[in-house]
Amino acid sequence: MATALTIDDIRSSIAERRTTAGALAEDFYSRIRKKDPEIGAFLTLCEERALAQAARIDAMAADGKPLPPLAGVPIAIKDVIVTSGVRTTAGSKILDNFIPPYDCTAVARLETAGAVILGKLNCDEFAMGSSTENSAYHPVRNPRDKSRVPGGSSGGSAAAVAAEMAVATLGSDTGGSIRQPASFCGVVGLKPTYGRVSRYGLIAFASSLDHVGPFANSVKDAALVLRTIAGRDPMDATSADVPVPDYVAELEKPVKGLKVGVAKEYFGSGLDDEVRAAVEAAIQKLAELGCEIVPVSLPHTEYAIPTYYIVATAEASANLARYDGVRYGFRAKSSALSQMYRQTRDGGFGMEVKRRIMLGTYALSAGYYDAYYLKAQKVRTLLTRDFEEAFTRVDVIAAPTAPTVAFKLGEKVNDPLAMYLADIYTVTANLAGIPGISVPCGENHEKLPIGLQIFGRHFDEATVLRVAHAYEGGAVRS
Ligand code: GLN
């Protein structure tokens, strides 16, 4: 395929009976069978469920009934998002045999809107990582260059869209895990505002930082998926009761006169020269589209990575306490209970997860709590205030998504600090809870994709999407 299918293409070709949802699903499964052995994006396929849903859509089309907005659209789901009756592992051995008894709200909403769920996507274990090499199953390879990582932790979600094995996917973003892999694979990835999309059914990593969001080939498709999954959910007390705008209609509003902030803190040392040049050219294009470019300052940015790794690990250490071999998944065989707990966790969790549990437990322990956790929470407030202050003067902020293009498999696995720095430009939006998108903005000399990141005010995904759509020129990736 020269040009990736869009959601609108699919819906209209089903409505006009040029194809069927069933035939389309079969097409995607055959592409997955052909391509995925080399890429490794999928962990589980759910063909029965997908074909049953496709049959429902085809029956509606045959009866001439109006089709729902995502009718027949093949979508795949990161494996930290639970699916009723379909194995959900979180990329971990500890959940190897876990079959959830319910659907995540976002998945239920997608299916109600007509989407066909193809299967579950590989990721770093419990979404901890930046390369998808921490999956307990197998790494994912970047479809643009198979010797490179797809980014992470939602590497399977980004790779599946990039390789046209799904039209859109869901990922999760705790510190950059949607935007950074979108940037590495050359697709669109959106992290919404905290509270915009329900987390009910998202396996918790760090609850105050976790978000569910879409990957797609175009900004418009990301807007269509967001419109479907956003909004208050009685099952998640942190989901916000804020009206959901029609993100698709909002895309067409002009961007002329919008103020785009540029912060020097996002262009400092460590930023690759070719990435810098591509992002600067993208900002120049926004100026040509009539946006006003305004310098802003986000002075606490340098503290973002250490702050994130205290808050995220502290919350993870509490959230992961539930995996004790009693309630979920894997259980080590042992005659004594305390030994069973210990052996289950020792055998079930991988190295990175153990490292995070230890770090988080340490940061929360008596004597260190004030020095680390409390201090980190204070710095988090300062980082949030940086954005609040900047957004009194600008409508959006433009920055690189990641400091580099996709790196080689194995390049950073033995250097956790280098791996953590892959998220230097993305963790701030999670700490502040603001929305952020990554949209492709060119390639380096090796044809590896580069991402432009756009941040917005809380609950102003509409403006973020509008600026990204204007930049993209309304065209889908070819
Ligand atoms: N790479 C970051 C981490 O390892 C972010 C992961 C994420 O957003 N889930 O924690």
Side-chain angles (χ1 to χ4, degrees):
M1 253 186 288
T3 305
L5 281 176
T6 68
I7 292 177
D8 281 348
D9 292 339
I10 290 172
R11 195 169 164 279
S12 58
S13 56
I14 295 173
E16 290 158 18
R17 315 291 309 276
R18 283 182 277 121
T19 185
T20 63
L24 206 66
E26 301 282 9
D27 261 14
F28 274 80
Y29 280 122
S30 62
R31 191 160 327 122
I32 292 167
R33 273 189 282 273
K34 193 165 138 241
K35 286 188 167 183
D36 206 44
E38 281 199 348
I39 293 176
F42 281 86
L43 288 176
T44 305
L45 299 177
C46 49
E47 284 191 70
E48 216 176 291
R49 175 171 172 161
L51 296 178
Q53 168 80 346
R56 276 192 289 275
I57 299 297
D58 288 333
M60 291 171 85
D63 290 347
K65 292 198 182 127
L67 296 182
L70 302 181
V73 177
I75 289 184
I77 308 292
K78 183 178 182 180
D79 215 19
V80 291
I81 294 173
V82 305
T83 37
S84 179
V86 178
R87 173 180 177 244
T88 300
T89 66
S92 181
K93 286 287 177 208
I94 214 160
L95 289 177
D96 191 27
N97 57 5
F98 177 52
I99 313 273
Y102 68 104
D103 271 323
C104 174
T105 298
V107 172
R109 289 185 179 177
L110 288 174
E111 267 189 342
T112 305
V116 172
I117 306 299
L118 298 173
K120 305 301 294 291
L121 296 162
N122 203 355
C123 56
D124 284 306
E125 185 175 4
F126 287 101
M128 296 174 183
S130 304
S131 67
T132 316
E133 292 163 297
N134 294 335
S135 163
Y137 297 92
H138 47 81
V140 178
R141 291 174 182 273
N142 191 320
R144 300 287 292 261
D145 174 346
K146 296 195 184 86
S147 68
R148 292 176 189 266
V149 302
S153 62
S154 315
S157 305
V161 171
E164 295 175 28
M165 296 189 289
V167 170
T169 56
L170 290 186
S172 69
D173 190 315
T174 303
S177 280
I178 291 177
R179 292 157 288 154
Q180 184 256 23
S183 169
F184 279 15
C185 291
V187 299
V188 174
L190 170 77
K191 179 197 90 65
T193 307
Y194 188 76
R196 177 79 292 183
V197 175
S198 171
R199 287 183 296 112
Y200 181 66
L202 170 65
I203 293 176
F205 161 10
S207 309
S208 78
L209 300 161
D210 291 343
H211 302 68
V212 174
F215 288 85
N217 280 304
S218 68
V219 175
K220 185 174 179 189
D221 280 2
L224 273 160
V225 175
L226 180 66
R227 190 175 71 180
T228 308
I229 62 176
R232 168 83 187 148
D233 173 15
M235 302 305 283
D236 173 6
T238 65
S239 73
D241 200 1
V242 176
V244 179
D246 182 347
Y247 296 117
V248 180
E250 297 270 325
L251 290 179
E252 302 308 331
K253 286 192 185 163
V255 295
K256 192 161 188 292
L258 283 180
K259 292 196 171 75
V260 177
V262 177
K264 63 174 181 317
E265 291 84 358
Y266 283 74
F267 293 85
S269 65
L271 176 60
D272 174 87
D273 287 340
E274 288 185 274
V275 174
R276 179 194 307 271
V279 171
E280 284 175 354
I283 292 169
Q284 181 56 34
K285 180 168 173 197
L286 291 175
E288 285 158 18
L289 291 167
C291 296
E292 188 187 331
I293 309 301
V294 180
V296 292
S297 171
L298 299 165
H300 296 93
T301 303
E302 65 174 299
Y303 305 112
I305 287 280
T307 303
Y308 169 81
Y309 277 96
I310 300 285
V311 175
T313 57
E315 293 186 21
S317 71
N319 276 326
L320 271 58
R322 73 190 69 179
Y323 303 102
D324 55 7
V326 176
R327 284 166 290 186
Y328 308 89
F330 168 73
R331 174 184 300 178
K333 285 196 184 26
S334 173
S335 50
L337 183 64
S338 61
Q339 208 181 9
M340 187 281 282
Y341 289 153
R342 206 172 314 125
Q343 287 177 2
T344 295
R345 290 169 70 80
D346 189 29
F349 289 138
M351 285 304 290
E352 183 62 24
V353 173
K354 289 179 188 166
R355 173 162 33 232
R356 306 250 181 146
I357 292 172
M358 285 194 285
L359 268 170
T361 305
Y362 180 81
L364 288 178
S365 55
Y368 298 103
Y369 181 95
D370 288 0
Y372 295 109
Y373 184 70
L374 203 62
K375 181 70 125 306
Q377 292 291 26
K378 289 178 180 170
V379 181
R380 182 176 188 175
T381 301
L382 295 175
L383 282 154
T384 307
R385 283 194 197 143
D386 280 359
F387 280 111
E388 278 167 6
E389 160 66 24
F391 283 126
T392 62
R393 301 197 296 122
V394 296
D395 299 296
V396 294
I397 294 171
T401 304
T404 64
V405 295
F407 44 88
K408 295 265 188 196
L409 278 130
E411 192 179 318
K412 296 187 203 272
V413 273
N414 296 319
D415 187 352
L417 288 181
M419 191 71 95
Y420 294 176
L421 286 172
D423 295 311
I424 189 159
Y425 302 136
T426 48
V427 294
T428 48
N430 300 72
L431 290 163
I434 58 169
I437 198 169
S438 180
V439 59
C441 72
E443 295 170 345
N444 78 348
H445 70 284
E446 294 169 294
K447 299 227 161 301
L448 295 168
I450 297 170
L452 166 70
Q453 185 172 210
I454 300 165
F455 299 122
R457 298 187 181 102
H458 287 118
F459 296 101
D460 195 15
E461 286 81 2
T463 306
V464 169
L465 287 161
R466 172 151 60 111
V467 173
H469 178 70
Y471 171 74
E472 176 190 57
V476 294
R477 182 176 61 89
S478 59

